[in-house]
């Protein structure tokens, strides 16, 4: 026989409803957000695994030192998209120039952290946990945000959501999204978000079990009524969701895995399910495709093209739907590359690199000066901005969460907003 406790163990996600028994978030949430608009802000993290070469992404094309250190990889003035301050984008980034010219794309230059690690796993872990001092960190910085929201919703008896955090990609959910109480959901297609852990007929089974129990108490009667109502509402809402998904599948996203994952994110944003944090993989399994130790030129250009074309399509879709003002996108990679190219026409693990931020409300353009190439850190450029300052900005100014409670310390903000 099903019990409330047993059902909650199966569902894994609960919220408190009124003053009676908890029920799965999907039951409480179904029908509440699909039928109405929402003004909550949304953060999308793009994980560029492997260590993106910042110098050939945001290029100091007039710097003699850059050309001397990279005899085969350095991009000439004619090969870059000129911006300002004698720097330019790699030509593969041309698809997102409308965003740049519209003031919706910012480049935060020289982002890193003190005493950087040159190891893939450890450096990525530091970016994901935002706790460089803790080598045994179990939660990601966004996972701690999800924990906080979950605890607040239970305490306030608020109506829950299916989940507040979603990861799309082939790899396991990154540490960035892991929390203690409310793990993020991993899906590669929007429909996967609505698959019940114990089978699609779980609502029916629960309702039948409660009915067989004879509704021994008022609480059981109340729960049975809610399950029955949720059953009916779920059918109506999922039909509506399918129509939302159909409109996204036909949109002009690039025919790449990254492009299709952004199409998935677009569908879930459009469906107004209360999801506020997304993470999307570009780079794959460790060490990641941005680890360009050999024959870098062609591989790196293809990756940057995939990034720019995907984000440009994502922005266009959000703009058409009037959602772009609510969305902020940022990129992260565990480190940049060395200033000097190696003997295999590639680069090795470095230190700082640029971070890209895209959104409908940001102040676009270059933020900070390009790091000088004569100040070396781990063979790469020295960091000028602590990545936790970026996180603090996202927390304080975008997600509305006090940054010190998540990061453990106070960090100055980055001027991303007017």
């Amino acid at each position: 026989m099903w019990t409330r406790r047993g059902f909650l163990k199966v569902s894994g996600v609960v919220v408190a409803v009124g003053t009676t028994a908890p029920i799965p978030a999907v039951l409480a949430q179904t029908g509440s957000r699909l039928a109405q608009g929402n003004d909550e802000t949304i953060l999308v993290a793009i994980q560029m695994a492997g260590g993106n070469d910042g110098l050939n992404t945001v290029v100091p094309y007039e710097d003699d030192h850059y050309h001397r250190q990279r005899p085969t990889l350095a991009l000439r003035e004619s090969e870059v998209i000129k911006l300002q301050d004698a720097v330019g984008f790699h030509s593969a980034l041309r698809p997102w120039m409308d965003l740049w010219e519209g003031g919706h794309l910012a480049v935060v230059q020289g982002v890193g952290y003190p005493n950087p690690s040159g190891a893939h796993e450890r450096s990525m872990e530091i970016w994901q946990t935002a706790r460089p001092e803790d080598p045994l960190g179990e939660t990601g910085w966004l996972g701690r945000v999800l924990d906080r929201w979950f605890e607040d919703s239970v305490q306030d008896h608020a109506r829950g959501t299916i989940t507040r955090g979603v990861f799309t990609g082939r790899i396991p959910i990154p540490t960035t999204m892991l929390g203690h109480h409310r793990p993020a959901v991993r899906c590669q297609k929007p429909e996967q978000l609505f698959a019940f852990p114990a089978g699609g007929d779980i609502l029916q089974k629960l309702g039948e079990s409660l009915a067989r129990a004879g509704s021994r108490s008022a609480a059981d009667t109340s729960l049975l009524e809610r399950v029955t109502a949720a059953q009916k509402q779920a059918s109506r809402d999922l039909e509506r969701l399918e129509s939302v998904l159909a409109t996204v599948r036909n949109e002009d996203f690039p025919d790449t895995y990254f492009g299709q994952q952004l199409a998935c994110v677009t569908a879930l944003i459009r469906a107004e399910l209360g999801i506020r944090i997304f993470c999307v993989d570009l780079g794959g399994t460790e060490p990641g495709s941005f680890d360009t130790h050999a024959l870098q030129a062609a591989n790196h250009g293809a990756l940057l093209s995939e990034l720019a074309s995907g984000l440009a399509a994502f922005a266009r879709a959000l703009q058409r739907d009037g959602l772009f003002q609510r969305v902020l996108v940022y990129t992260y990679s565990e480190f940049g590359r060395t200033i000097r190219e190696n003997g295999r026409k590639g680069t090795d693990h470095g230190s700082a690199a640029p971070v890209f931020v895209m959104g409908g409300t940001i102040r676009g353009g270059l933020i900070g000066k390009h790091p000088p190439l004569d100040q070396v850190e781990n063979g790469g450029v020295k960091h000028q901005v602590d990545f936790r300052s970026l996180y603090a900005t996202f927390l304080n100014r975008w997600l509305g969460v006090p940054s010190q409670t998540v990061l453990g310390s106070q960090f100055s903000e980055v001027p991303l907003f007017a």
Side-chain angles (χ1 to χ4, degrees):
M1 180 181 297
W2 283 84
T3 64
R4 286 192 295 271
R5 181 180 298 275
F7 181 72
L8 296 179
K9 285 183 178 180
V10 172
S11 69
V13 182
V14 301
V15 293
V17 180
T19 58
T20 59
I23 66 174
V26 69
L27 305 191
Q29 177 60 23
T30 299
S32 63
R33 291 190 185 272
L34 290 181
Q36 60 187 1
N38 200 309
D39 59 359
E40 289 184 322
T41 54
I42 294 166
L43 182 67
V44 182
I46 308 296
Q47 177 171 295
M48 300 163 63
N52 179 48
D53 181 17
L55 284 181
N56 270 26
T57 304
V58 181
V59 186
Y61 59 87
E62 289 188 352
D63 193 311
D64 290 338
H65 190 75
Y66 164 72
H67 289 278
R68 289 197 303 271
Q69 295 295 309
R70 295 185 168 206
T72 70
L73 290 179
L75 299 175
R76 297 185 297 273
E77 183 175 351
S78 60
E79 297 175 304
V80 302
I81 306 167
K82 294 182 183 178
L83 304 177
Q84 61 195 61
D85 299 338
V87 299
F89 281 146
H90 189 295
S91 59
L93 296 174
R94 191 171 298 281
W96 71 14
M97 286 309 294
D98 284 346
L99 289 166
W100 175 264
E101 292 165 0
H104 300 307
L105 180 67
V107 179
V108 187
Q109 304 194 82
V111 183
Y113 58 92
N115 304 312
S117 170
H120 284 290
E121 184 176 1
R122 178 58 186 145
S123 190
M124 184 62 86
E125 184 179 69
I126 288 172
W127 276 81
Q128 292 172 336
T129 64
R131 296 281 173 85
E133 72 285 352
D134 183 5
L136 300 176
E138 296 179 350
T139 61
W141 77 281
L142 290 177
R144 296 193 289 275
V145 174
L146 296 174
D147 279 347
R148 178 188 176 94
W149 285 339
F150 174 66
E151 292 163 0
D152 288 348
S153 71
V154 172
Q155 181 177 354
D156 297 339
H157 304 295
R159 301 192 80 177
T161 63
I162 293 171
T163 180
R164 286 288 198 176
V166 167
F167 169 69
T168 66
R170 297 186 180 98
I171 63 175
I173 297 176
T175 302
T176 308
M177 303 283 282
L178 297 183
H180 286 306
H181 306 308
R182 185 91 182 238
V185 172
R186 176 180 176 271
C187 68
Q188 295 175 281
K189 296 180 179 180
E191 300 91 327
Q192 295 173 350
L193 189 65
F194 306 95
F196 289 104
D201 60 347
I202 192 169
L203 292 177
Q204 181 178 348
K205 289 180 179 179
L206 178 60
E208 291 172 354
S209 297
L210 287 171
R212 286 197 301 271
S215 299
R216 292 184 296 264
S217 68
D220 285 339
T221 301
S222 176
L223 181 57
L224 177 58
E225 291 173 350
R226 294 177 191 190
V227 169
T228 302
Q231 238 182 310
K232 296 177 180 178
Q233 188 64 53
S235 178
R236 292 191 293 267
D237 288 345
L238 290 177
E239 286 179 5
R240 183 178 187 278
L241 180 63
E242 286 174 358
S243 67
V244 170
L245 299 182
T247 65
V248 174
R249 292 190 186 104
N250 297 326
E251 286 175 348
D252 188 22
F253 279 86
D255 188 20
T256 62
Y257 188 78
F258 182 63
Q260 295 309 303
Q261 297 313 293
L262 290 174
C264 173
V265 172
T266 302
L268 296 177
I269 292 174
R270 181 178 291 173
E272 297 288 4
L273 299 172
I275 304 167
R276 294 192 63 189
I277 295 176
F278 294 88
C279 184
V280 183
D281 166 53
L282 175 60
T285 56
E286 191 180 332
S289 53
F290 283 90
D291 193 28
T292 50
H293 286 284
L295 302 176
Q296 174 179 304
N299 294 335
H300 189 234
L303 287 166
L304 294 182
S305 177
E306 189 172 358
L307 173 71
S309 59
L311 290 182
F314 185 45
R316 287 193 297 269
L318 294 175
Q319 288 167 334
R320 283 196 299 269
D321 292 338
L323 297 168
F324 195 42
Q325 299 295 107
R326 289 174 48 201
V327 177
L328 188 71
V329 180
Y330 83 98
T331 65
Y332 69 96
S333 193
E334 60 265 51
F335 37 62
R337 315 296 295 184
T338 51
I339 299 171
R340 179 190 293 272
E341 69 176 70
N342 59 32
R344 294 177 290 168
K345 297 184 178 180
T347 53
D348 301 317
H349 301 175
S351 180
V355 166
F356 301 106
V357 183
M358 181 188 88
T361 60
I362 67 166
R363 183 176 71 179
L366 296 175
I367 297 179
K369 296 291 185 182
H370 194 285
L373 302 191
D374 57 356
Q375 296 180 22
V376 180
E377 185 177 60
N378 273 20
V381 296
K382 185 177 176 62
H383 84 280
Q384 301 177 136
V385 177
D386 193 305
F387 73 92
R388 290 166 292 182
S389 288
L390 265 178
Y391 291 179
T393 308
F394 300 152
L395 290 165
N396 295 331
R397 300 288 299 277
W398 191 249
L399 296 178
V401 176
S403 61
Q404 190 165 358
T405 64
V406 174
L407 302 178
S409 299
Q410 198 72 38
F411 292 91
S412 59
E413 295 185 8
V414 176
L416 278 171
F417 300 95

